[in-house]
Amino acid sequence: MEAPKSRLWRALLVAVSLALAGNGYAASSQPAKKPSAAKSAKAKSAAKPAAAAQVKPVIEAKAVDLLKAASARLAAAKSMSFTAIVSYEHPSRYGPALVYTTKSDVALLRPDKLRVITYGDGPPSEFYYNGKTMMAFAPVENLVAVADAPPTVDAMLKAAFDSASIYFPFTDFIVTDPYKDIAEGLELAFYIGQSNIVGGVTTDMVAYVSGGVFVQAWIGAEDKLPRRVRAVYLADPLQLRHEMELSNWQLDSPVATEFFESAKAANANRISFGSPQLPAVTKQLPTNPVKTSPAKKP
């Protein structure tokens, strides 16, 4: 599923960028030093073998079966909770990318309950959905946005994105049919092998391209749960990497419905539930920034 940055994620990124800018290490873009003619010629020469090495995309049955198995395991769960640690790169003014990280504790009760508590390199955020309303809460600022919501998690996620640009990077794991979104844009899929490092368990590694995103996924060999996802948007000229570690999986454990509401959030100062109006950060950036396409999320 296409994964644009969430409203709160965008706010986080802007906040971190501004904080670093004040210290002279702004996470903004500056043009890289123009290489010499000799270096350019050498680079072009080195790029030729890579272009010639392109091979015809394949969709291997073993990779597809693993993706289907993981999706089926998640789809069958009536409730789930897990921790998602997300790292995403952003270009620095010196060229190499910087990495920012968020940690989200996620709880889901099908068909109509979701709670997401997020901490990270910026202000924390909380999101509550109880089947009737969705609520985005900024605890530090004591601000909350509340809106009526559709009666299912899938419909609510779409409404949250359409109305307020809210998107969670783990959305593909909590929708009713996770494999559907992968299959709709699947262009390439192959099996890599096994790893005994990620998540403290044996995992099967697969790679696939769906919707213009190259993804490598680590899936538990026994429990079929996703443990790590690494994605690069093929249209991104900087090839920035987005990674997500998934842990503390609990499926079908009892969860009280009160868990998906917050009195503190409900009593916070109200703001409108809509797409964020980002501050004019670009006006503060150095002139002649590198032009890049906005990175999307997995």
Side-chain angles (χ1 to χ4, degrees), residues 113-280:
K113 304 286 188 299
L114 177 66
R115 166 177 151 158
V116 181
I117 308 297
T118 300
Y119 314 88
D121 300 331
S125 64
E126 300 178 9
F127 185 88
Y128 301 90
Y129 165 61
N130 62 6
K132 297 180 180 178
T133 61
M134 49 186 171
M135 185 161 55
F137 176 47
V140 174
E141 297 83 359
N142 196 36
L143 297 174
V144 65
V146 183
D148 293 338
T152 66
V153 170
D154 285 20
M156 180 278 296
L157 290 171
K158 185 178 185 306
F161 176 68
D162 290 344
S163 62
S165 300
I166 292 176
Y167 185 90
F168 300 111
F170 43 80
T171 288
D172 287 354
F173 302 128
I174 61 177
V175 295
T176 302
D177 186 357
Y179 183 70
K180 178 182 177 182
D181 289 327
I182 297 175
E184 287 179 348
L186 191 63
E187 306 168 30
L188 166 71
F190 60 91
Y191 180 72
I192 301 170
Q194 287 194 324
S195 170
N196 294 308
I197 304 300
V198 175
V201 299
T202 300
T203 56
D204 287 305
M205 296 181 291
V206 298
Y208 62 94
V209 173
S210 179
V213 186
F214 186 96
V215 179
Q216 182 174 348
W218 287 254
I219 299 170
E222 295 296 329
D223 59 19
K224 305 305 179 188
L225 292 173
R227 302 288 179 170
R228 176 190 284 178
V229 178
R230 186 173 188 268
V232 174
Y233 281 77
L234 297 178
D236 179 2
L238 298 180
Q239 296 289 283
L240 298 176
R241 291 162 291 189
H242 310 263
E243 295 197 10
M244 179 161 54
E245 298 276 353
L246 299 146
S247 61
N248 299 324
W249 281 104
Q250 296 289 330
L251 301 185
D252 292 324
S253 297
V255 184
T257 56
E258 293 79 7
F259 193 68
F260 300 92
E261 298 179 352
S262 168
K264 182 178 180 180
N267 293 322
N269 298 320
R270 296 293 181 95
I271 58 175
S272 61
F273 199 98
S275 297
Q277 298 297 320
L278 294 178

